[in-house]
Structures are given as C-alpha cells and as structure tokens.
Amino acid sequence: MQALPTGVRRTFGLALYAAQAGVTPPIAKPLKGFGGAGVLELLEDDRSGTYRAVYTVRFATAVYVLHVFQKKSKHGIATPRRDLDLIEERLRTAEAIHRDTARRSET
C-alpha cells in the first residue's frame, strides 16, 4: 500500500481501521464470486487511476488484506481473472494462518 497515492492510501487506511473496529466502511462492497459479505472491496479514484483493496472479515479476531492494486483495464468494471485468482489463493493462505493461530492460542 505504500506505493499508492497519498489520498488513496489515507482512504484505504481509514476504511481498514473501521473494519478492524467492526464497522463496514461506506466505500466497501462485497466482492462478487466470494459468497456474500465475507470478502469486501474498497474502490478509490485518483487522477492517476482507479485503485482497489480487497480484504476479508471472515474471522472474528483479524482483518486480512488480500490484495491492493490499480485497475488498469479501460474496458468494463470486472476484476481481471488473474487478480481474482490471486485473491482466492491469498484467502486460502489467510484461512490457514488463522487456523494455525487459533490452534496455538488453545495450547
């Protein structure tokens, strides 16, 4: 996120802070194809382009940011397949990390 324009970084940071506090930010919307509101997308426009941040709130004790990127395509609003694949992979990783963390805290 450090490479994002300052205004975009600030907007995403405030939205993620709200998510950590249990509040759904007004700029968040469910990412299609991920089964409801467990995976959310933030969108922000800047003069240099449109930026997206995808995160999950599926876990009660953590918010995981899965992907942050600049939308490059000028055609349509759909998220490119390669980005969706990366989000799916990172979601599986977040689930594994969360399981391991929960298991360690039980012992």
Side-chain angles (χ1 to χ4, degrees):
M1 282 195 20
Q2 292 297 329
L4 298 177
T6 303
V8 175
R9 191 171 60 237
R10 184 176 296 124
T11 299
F12 285 173
L14 289 171
L16 291 168
Y17 180 77
Q20 289 174 354
V23 177
T24 301
I27 65 167
K29 65 178 188 174
L31 184 61
K32 292 180 182 175
F34 285 87
V39 177
L40 298 145
E41 175 179 44
L42 305 171
L43 282 95
E44 181 69 1
D45 290 319
D46 181 74
R47 67 176 167 263
S48 61
T50 299
Y51 296 85
R52 295 180 179 190
V54 178
Y55 67 99
T56 185
V57 292
R58 287 186 178 175
F59 315 106
T61 59
V63 172
Y64 291 92
V65 177
L66 304 173
H67 192 29
V68 178
F69 59 103
Q70 181 178 10
K71 184 178 180 311
K72 303 268 185 185
S73 172
K74 303 291 185 215
H75 308 291
I77 60 171
T79 304
R81 183 77 243 163
R82 64 178 163 38
D83 288 311
L84 291 173
D85 291 343
L86 182 59
I87 291 165
E88 287 176 21
E89 177 185 328
R90 289 180 177 171
L91 181 58
R92 284 191 300 273
T93 301
E95 289 170 344
I97 290 169
H98 190 75
R99 265 193 319 272
D100 290 347
T101 301
R103 203 174 7 244
R104 277 188 298 229
S105 67
E106 291 174 357
T107 58

